[in-house]
Amino acid sequence: MTLQAPPSTLAAASGAMLDPFGRQVSYLRVSVTDRCDFRCVYCMAENMTFLPRADLLTLEELDRLCSAFVAKGVRRLRLTGGEPLVRKNIMWLFRALSRHIESGALEEITVTTNASQLAKYAGELAACGVRRINVSLDTRDPDKFRKVTRWGDLGRVMDGIRTAQAAGLKIKINMVALKGFNEGEIEDMLRWCHGEGMDMTLIETMPLGDVEGDRTDQYLPLSAVRARLMDNLTLEDIPYRTGGPARYVQVRETGGRLGLITPLTHNFCESCNRVRITCTGTLYMCLGQNDAADLRAPLRASPSDELLNGAIDEAIGRKPKGHDFVIGRGAKKPAVARHMSLTGG
Ligand code: SAM
Ligand code: SF4
């Protein structure tokens, strides 16, 4: 009889990143900029102070950093922000990273975008091997859209969505459920998405960064949303996963899928396979914790990846078990002081 090594031992032997709880890190989110052309009310304050440009990793450094993670077993890469498509010359990075798709090292490169620049870039993204994108859209009412994004133009976003569809990109719409703002539009958004052949994911607001105002006013638990949707729709739990934290239901009437991201009502940490890096090269092992590792210093200290790989291994070795998000009447301060736009959604 041959004795088989447990999967975790095999992963470690192949140089893959295993955290102390045996979870293999195979998904990397990279925030390529903290800047954005919108100011969504739950994400940013109107007057944001952005990082000095000199602190940012160059596109070449971001490529090197991502490639080091790919060599360590990352199979899925998502570029996000801030708004990734407002970073100057960002298509250079997509083109550079597409070599890992061609070699088969990466399964996919995806992007999360507000779609303001999508009409301009959709064709090029498709040419770089991007197949799926997430577009954030909280309302289809132009006035409410302007209100929630403060600066956004719904017409441009819709143009971007149409251009991406024509370029063959598969789109998932991300909608943040906001109490008293868009709760009455969720069913309509769902029917529209599914009618257009797009998946949709609902997200609960997470307490990240000061945004002016009380988060308990915005927080809408998805358990309540789900119950309300079930007045008119049949939702069936399905095991479908995309490598992210969303749980999916199949909507019988529309034939489409709805994802639910519920960090506050449902703890998704046990299956976490991801880490995040910011545009300054800080590695966050958990979206909901403050512990981080600086990868910029080892990256810049030497042209070889030895120091960098050591710093990555050391950091993965202290990936925490889970987050500590709480939104409640007593919790006036955000659980994590940095904004989502820094760590990336
Ligand atoms: N600018 C791009 C966009 O809006 O798609 C990418 C970055 S944005 C930070 C990524 C996602 O995070 C968006 O879907 C946004 O709605 C979501 N998000 C931002 N702040 C959030 C918060 N405090 N709670 C929950 N979701 C948030
Ligand atoms: Fe910008 Fe995205 Fe944050 Fe809105 S959610 S302010 S689009 S980074």
Side-chain angles (χ1 to χ4, degrees):
M1 191 178 87
T2 47
L3 277 179
Q4 261 197 330
S8 58
T9 316
L10 291 175
S14 70
M17 295 173 286
L18 271 186
D19 79 2
F21 306 94
R23 297 169 299 188
Q24 188 174 341
V25 175
S26 57
Y27 186 123
L28 177 67
R29 288 197 170 208
V30 186
S31 175
V32 297
T33 175
D34 63 329
R35 289 164 198 253
C36 186
D37 52 347
F38 291 2
R39 290 289 181 280
C40 302
V41 292
Y42 48 79
C43 179
M44 292 194 183
E46 185 149 23
N47 291 312
M48 292 285 288
T49 309
F50 292 110
L51 295 162
R53 285 185 203 275
D55 286 1
L56 260 57
L57 296 185
T58 64
L59 294 174
E60 289 80 0
E61 286 172 329
L62 280 169
D63 176 42
R64 201 180 132 203
L65 194 48
C66 292
S67 301
F69 276 93
V70 172
K72 287 182 151 298
V74 158
R75 303 279 295 150
R76 290 171 162 185
L77 194 59
R78 177 175 294 276
L79 301 196
T80 176
E83 174 46 40
L85 300 184
V86 302
R87 171 121 191 208
K88 203 169 157 206
N89 211 10
I90 189 63
M91 283 302 138
W92 180 91
L93 184 60
F94 280 99
R95 275 194 299 276
L97 292 170
S98 68
R99 71 186 183 281
H100 299 304
I101 295 276
E102 281 158 24
S103 76
L106 264 185
E107 263 167 44
E108 63 171 6
I109 301 177
T110 53
V111 58
T112 303
T113 175
N114 65 23
S116 67
Q117 314 295 315
L118 197 52
K120 190 158 118 202
Y121 291 129
E124 232 179 317
L125 286 171
C128 291
V130 175
R131 296 284 165 262
R132 299 193 297 139
I133 63 172
N134 287 0
V135 170
S136 304
L137 182 66
D138 302 324
T139 172
R140 290 199 300 133
D141 174 316
D143 294 331
K144 285 171 82 176
F145 187 78
R146 171 75 68 177
K147 231 177 232 162
V148 72
T149 60
R150 291 196 183 102
W151 297 357
D153 173 357
L154 183 65
R156 281 186 67 164
V157 168
M158 289 301 177
D159 270 358
I161 291 175
R162 277 188 288 272
T163 313
Q165 283 176 319
L169 296 174
K170 219 173 140 13
I171 301 176
K172 186 170 66 129
I173 298 291
N174 280 349
M175 178 182 193
V176 176
L178 296 163
K179 189 158 90 189
F181 180 76
N182 62 7
E183 53 187 316
E185 284 182 62
I186 295 176
E187 184 180 327
D188 176 65
M189 181 76 92
L190 183 66
R191 290 184 187 273
W192 174 72
C193 287
H194 288 177
E196 292 282 327
M198 303 186 290
D199 279 341
M200 176 173 144
T201 293
L202 281 166
I203 308 175
E204 279 175 352
T205 49
M206 291 176 237
L208 298 173
D210 266 322
V211 288
E212 300 156 357
D214 184 350
R215 287 199 188 267
T216 46
D217 293 343
Q218 302 175 336
Y219 177 57
L220 176 63
L222 292 190
S223 46
V225 173
R226 186 178 171 145
R228 188 150 151 199
L229 284 175
M230 283 168 76
D231 287 345
N232 295 323
L233 297 168
T234 319
L235 310 181
E236 289 154 348
D237 288 314
I238 50 170
Y240 176 78
R241 301 301 294 266
T242 55
R247 308 288 151 135
Y248 286 86
V249 295
Q250 183 78 30
V251 185
R252 196 186 294 161
E253 289 74 6
T254 61
R257 275 187 297 252
L258 172 67
L260 302 160
I261 300 187
T262 55
L264 301 166
T265 54
H266 178 101
N267 199 309
F268 50 52
C269 304
E270 70 279 1
S271 58
C272 180
N273 61 351
R274 63 187 49 204
V275 291
R276 295 172 154 83
I277 40 183
T278 69
C279 50
T280 57
T282 303
L283 174 67
Y284 283 97
M285 289 74 84
C286 172
L287 180 64
Q289 298 279 359
N290 288 316
D291 190 24
D294 173 34
L295 299 182
R296 188 177 54 186
L299 182 83
R300 289 186 172 166
S302 152
S304 101
D305 284 347
E306 212 169 295
L307 287 174
L308 177 63
N309 284 333
I312 294 173
D313 290 342
E314 195 272 329
I316 300 297
R318 49 191 169 88
K319 182 169 160 60
K321 195 166 181 191
H323 66 66
D324 298 323
F325 290 141
V326 194
I327 291 188
R329 291 276 155 209
K332 291 286 180 220
K333 278 267 156 230
V336 169
R338 62 185 187 277
H339 288 89
M340 182 76 114
S341 49
L342 177 65
T343 339

